[in-house]
Amino acid sequence: MDQLAFQYCPKIAVFSADGGSIFLCRRKGEADYDGVFSLIGGKMEHSDRSIVDALRREKTEEVGESFKIRILPHFSVDVMFVKADGSHMILPHHYALHVDGDPELNEEYSESTWVPLKDLASFEPKIDNITWISAKLARLAEIVRDDDFATI
């Protein structure tokens, strides 16, 4: 019997404090999306004690400790993805708000930018699903409370 093994890869959609822009980073050296703008985040590791720990670790590894965000750990927009090598991934996308600090990109990215949501559909090159995922996540701003967030 064939078994499917999925990698769990939480992603973070960081919105500006006013909710009008989204933070994207250009991938560098990645097999499926080299040179394409994406959201930050990555694979959950066995050493992560919780999803919040995984989100904190990935955020810190990819954009630095000083880039502070408030994240909604208990709400996500989930996507399944099959990589070019055939591996399967579950990608829960989490809403976050930028609190403070500038990004310090690691070697996975060549640049970062804030894209106004009104320009996101035409902004390229980006992973195609970012437009509809960010629209769904932005709706959370209408219903969440301060105590729903974790600061990482």
Side-chain angles (χ1 to χ4, degrees), residues 50 57 67-68 75 90 98-99 106 119 126 133 137 141:
S50 68
R57 180 186 49 74
F67 190 79
K68 298 291 184 194
F75 302 90
I90 298 295
H98 182 247
V99 174
N106 72 3
D119 300 331
K126 69 175 178 309
I133 288 169
L137 288 171

Side-chain angles (χ1 to χ4, degrees), residues 54-129:
L55 293 166
R56 180 182 293 110
R57 180 186 49 74
E58 283 291 335
K59 187 272 311 176
T60 300
E61 286 176 5
E62 295 185 4
V63 295
E65 182 69 34
S66 64
F67 190 79
K68 298 291 184 194
I69 60 174
R70 293 178 45 197
I71 193 156
L72 289 175
H74 303 293
F75 302 90
S76 63
V77 172
D78 303 334
V79 175
M80 189 187 97
F81 178 68
V82 180
K83 294 180 73 169
D85 68 5
S87 60
H88 291 70
M89 306 171 88
I90 298 295
L91 302 137
H93 294 76
H94 295 272
Y95 176 86
L97 289 172
H98 182 247
V99 174
D100 190 37
D102 294 322
E104 298 171 16
L105 302 179
N106 72 3
E107 69 283 348
E108 297 176 46
Y109 301 108
S110 61
E111 66 179 295
S112 65
T113 190
W114 289 94
V115 179
L117 293 178
K118 64 181 182 50
D119 300 331
L120 186 58
S122 62
F123 178 82
E124 293 296 337
K126 69 175 178 309
I127 296 176
D128 292 335
N129 64 15

